[in-house]
Amino acid sequence: MTTKQRVLLLGATGETGRSILQGLLEDGESFEVEVLVRPSSTTKPAVKALAERGVNIRVADITGPIEDLVKVLSGIDVLISVIDAGSQLAQIQLATAAKEAGVKRFIPCAFITVAPPGGVMALRDSKEQVYQHIRKLYLPHTIIDVGFWYQISFPTVPSGRADYTAIIKPNAAIHGDGKTPTILIDREDIGRFVARIVKDNRTLNKSVIAYGDVLSENEVFGTMERLSGEKIERQYVSRAIRCDFRTQRFQISTDDIMSARAETAAAAKADPTNTFAGMMAWLQDYNYSKYVRGDNTLAHATYLGYLDARELYPDFQPKGFEHFVRDVLDGKGEKRQAISLR
Ligand SMILES: NC(=O)c1ccc[n+]([C@@H]2O[C@H](COP(=O)([O-])OP(=O)(O)OC[C@H]3O[C@@H](n4cnc5c(N)ncnc54)[C@H](OP(=O)(O)O)[C@@H]3O)[C@@H](O)[C@H]2O)c1
């Protein structure tokens, strides 16, 4: 009989965390799963629901005294953090405590697109500060990135039948020529990948990219049109071709994407307490990285040293984008409060 790994999950009530909890619970032969909740959230219905499912809850303030945190982490084999995007640096003390508590593997909160550190995406850079701290501690770890969720990557259709699950409605924005490929995933598959990755010695101290499909925006729009039978009026966020008459060389201009990114970054910097401005700035960074630089591809993941989860686990067939779109059009997506542009 093999011993189960004791896994502690921070963020189990969040969007990504729910998927990871599900993936771990589905593999009950491998894991004893517990969740870490901050004191102010213990009375939330979502936390109570976890307790009702029989999940053990450990309570800790990760910004509180480190000795308390070390105690809470005692006996944990794998610590997984899926903290919200704005709280990345709170993981620095968590990593220090994990090292002191003898945690065998820390999964810091990565779970974004492939991009190099150093000024491309502010969010990626805040995660990188945590990774650097982990490496200085020589804390065993695995970084898991996943591309962009299908759930926030599809355009709406004119009839409005996809609006109930859209993040912005209507949304027909397409960037540049729409040809740049980008790595995508069904958020619900993240947990199934994580459950495989955290018990695999090949992934220790490595980065892993997990994904369902790699598609350009033209392919994403084409799938939505083909399956819905509706024509989507594309709104091009320009990447016009400009000519430098002095050198007589043609160049791709990235004006719209770049100016939107500069504007939102300035607004977020001017008022760091404005979480909406911060979120918009991350979104523009994603657009810049995915569609202007074209970072979020498998070739770049390989260059940056990621292992490919699809090659590591050929037995697991993640949901394809086409299947996801069928579900959306059949009304099987989750209901969301969209930002309405109507
Ligand atoms: N690849 C993509 O397309 C994509 C999309 C969205 C997000 N992401 C990434 O995924 C990560 C998770 O995002 P998400 O949207 O899933 O998060 P989320 O839904 O906002 O959930 C965050 C979770 O962290 C918990 N949490 C926050 N602060 C905590 C603290 N101090 N102590 C303990 N728990 C704490 C929250 O619990 P309570 O607030 O209830 O305490 C909640 O369970 C982010 O870092 C983001 O970069 C990626």
Side-chain angles (χ1 to χ4, degrees), residues 10-18 36-42 44 46-47 60-63 81-88 90-91 109-113 123 127 146-150 152-153 185 187 190 286:
L10 180 158
T13 57
E15 295 208 52
T16 317
R18 281 199 298 269
L36 180 65
V37 172
R38 52 180 152 181
S40 57
S41 295
T42 48
K44 285 187 176 175
V47 174
D61 175 3
I62 62 169
T63 61
S81 166
V82 216
I83 203 159
D84 57 274
S87 304
Q88 298 302 306
Q91 296 175 100
C109 187
F111 304 108
I112 58 166
T113 49
L123 177 57
K127 291 175 189 283
V146 296
F148 215 57
W149 302 346
Y150 295 160
I152 48 178
S153 295
I185 193 163
R187 191 194 51 216
I190 294 176
Y286 269 123

Side-chain angles (χ1 to χ4, degrees), residues 133-169:
H133 183 69
I134 289 170
R135 289 178 181 129
K136 281 191 230 159
L137 295 168
Y138 293 107
L139 173 63
H141 66 281
T142 303
I143 291 162
I144 305 172
D145 277 316
V146 296
F148 215 57
W149 302 346
Y150 295 160
Q151 280 80 355
I152 48 178
S153 295
F154 63 89
T156 53
V157 286
S159 66
R161 59 198 271 223
D163 287 7
Y164 74 97
T165 186
I167 187 166
I168 297 173
K169 62 178 185 182

Side-chain angles (χ1 to χ4, degrees), residues 12 61 87 108 115 117 119 151 164 179 202 240 245 261 268 301 318 328 337:
D61 175 3
S87 304
Q151 280 80 355
Y164 74 97
K179 288 183 184 163
R202 295 173 298 176
F245 292 103
R261 181 171 179 253
V328 165
Q337 194 66 42

Side-chain angles (χ1 to χ4, degrees), residues 62-121:
I62 62 169
T63 61
I66 188 149
E67 312 77 54
D68 294 352
L69 200 46
V70 173
K71 273 188 213 139
V72 167
L73 297 181
S74 74
I76 294 301
D77 296 312
V78 180
L79 172 64
I80 305 178
S81 166
V82 216
I83 203 159
D84 57 274
S87 304
Q88 298 302 306
L89 300 186
Q91 296 175 100
I92 288 186
Q93 165 153 284
L94 187 64
T96 306
K99 178 72 182 182
E100 275 189 44
V103 167
K104 298 195 187 90
R105 185 181 325 213
F106 181 40
I107 314 296
C109 187
F111 304 108
I112 58 166
T113 49
V114 169
V120 175
M121 291 175 66

